[in-house]
Amino acid sequence: DAVVHQFIHSVQPLLLNRCALAGCHGPSPKSTFILFRTSAKRPIPHRISQRNLYNTLTTLDLVQPENSSLLTAATTLHGAQNQPVLGIDAPQDLASLVNWVRVVASTDRLNPWPH
């Protein structure tokens, strides 16, 4: 499934590096949006990727994808940040995230998991 593949290979690493490590959404989060990770030297087990995907999907507005809280939070100040997580310094990362959200919104919303 393209949504899951793109999440595991591009969206999840982006979120883990930009959001989980910032202290907002990783260990001891200050938010309800939680991302799980393993040590930097170990690959992320599929079950953890599934949890991260599920948690990320709950932040999406499938009717109006541009209004998804995932995108809003990534592009505005929140938490203890002094700049947006994906600001003008990361246009490619932001474009990738926006594209993924649009792909999710345009696919089968009832069955995001491959069998």
Side-chain angles (χ1 to χ4, degrees), residues 78-98:
H78 68 283
Q81 304 285 11
N82 59 3
Q83 65 181 16
V85 174
L86 293 177
I88 58 171
D89 65 324
Q92 291 173 322
D93 289 341
L94 180 57
S96 176
L97 190 60
V98 169

Side-chain angles (χ1 to χ4, degrees), residues 10-22:
S10 67
V11 174
Q12 179 174 242
L14 172 67
L15 295 177
L16 290 176
N17 290 329
R18 294 284 189 135
C19 304
L21 291 179

Side-chain angles (χ1 to χ4, degrees), residues 50-113:
Q50 286 180 326
R51 289 183 75 181
N52 287 339
L53 175 58
Y54 175 80
N55 290 348
T56 304
L57 289 174
T58 65
T59 68
L60 304 186
D61 181 332
L62 299 177
V63 176
Q64 294 182 304
E66 297 78 19
N67 292 338
S68 296
S69 63
L70 178 70
L71 298 178
T72 304
T75 57
T76 59
L77 289 176
H78 68 283
Q81 304 285 11
N82 59 3
Q83 65 181 16
V85 174
L86 293 177
I88 58 171
D89 65 324
Q92 291 173 322
D93 289 341
L94 180 57
S96 176
L97 190 60
V98 169
N99 180 60
W100 181 76
V101 170
R102 287 180 178 152
V103 168
V104 171
S106 68
T107 59
D108 180 6
R109 295 179 195 111
L110 300 176
N111 187 20
W113 300 104

Side-chain angles (χ1 to χ4, degrees), residues 16 19-31 33-37:
L16 290 176
C19 304
L21 291 179
C24 296
H25 305 289
S28 305
K30 298 170 182 69
S31 166
F33 176 52
I34 301 170
L35 296 165
F36 300 95
R37 62 179 297 120

